[in-house]
């Protein structure tokens, strides 16, 4: 579980770096993609990190973290869609 969180954080950090190349073309699609990737990393990878360490952290709210992971995954998908539309629009 920990490795999956690290993998997705790694990949989407590169997506954020790619979005920085669009700095001069800042538009609504780029801003939405930034938001989606950033909060997707926090929700998806962050929830996986907390779930992976629940046995040593003894946090009481870890049973509520499981449903948060798919929301982060959905934000990743939306971020990629926005990135696609921004790249297609920019050509």
């Amino acid at each position: 579980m920990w490795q999956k969180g690290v993998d997705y954080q790694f990949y989407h950090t590169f997506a954020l770096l790619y979005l920085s190349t669009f700095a001069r073309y800042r538009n609504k699609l780029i801003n939405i993609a930034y938001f989606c990737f950033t909060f997707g990393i926090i929700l998806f990878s962050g929830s996986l990190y907390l779930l992976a360490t629940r046995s040593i952290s003894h946090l009481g709210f870890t049973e509520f973290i499981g449903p948060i992971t798919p929301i982060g995954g959905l934000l990743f998908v939306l971020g990629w869609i926005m990135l696609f539309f921004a790249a297609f629009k920019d050509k």
Side-chain angles (χ1 to χ4, degrees):
M1 206 178 307
W2 182 272
Q3 186 61 41
K4 188 64 67 178
V6 170
D7 289 343
Y8 277 85
Q9 183 178 358
F10 180 76
Y11 301 141
H12 291 91
T13 300
F14 281 117
L16 286 171
L17 289 172
Y18 178 70
L19 280 174
S20 69
T21 63
F22 285 106
R24 62 180 171 223
Y25 301 113
R26 284 295 261 212
N27 60 28
K28 190 174 183 178
L29 293 173
I30 299 296
N31 291 336
I32 293 171
Y34 267 118
F35 172 83
C36 289
F37 285 141
T38 302
F39 285 102
I41 288 171
I42 291 169
L43 293 178
F44 186 85
S45 295
S47 64
L48 287 180
Y49 296 149
L50 287 174
L51 287 171
T53 60
R54 70 179 156 197
S55 63
I56 59 173
S57 64
H58 302 293
L59 297 173
F61 59 87
T62 54
E63 61 270 3
F64 302 110
I65 294 175
I68 292 175
T69 307
I71 295 170
L74 179 64
L75 286 173
F76 284 155
V77 171
L78 289 174
W80 285 111
I81 290 170
M82 293 302 125
L83 178 60
F84 171 76
F85 284 135
F88 185 74
K89 182 180 175 183
D90 183 47
K91 286 190 180 182

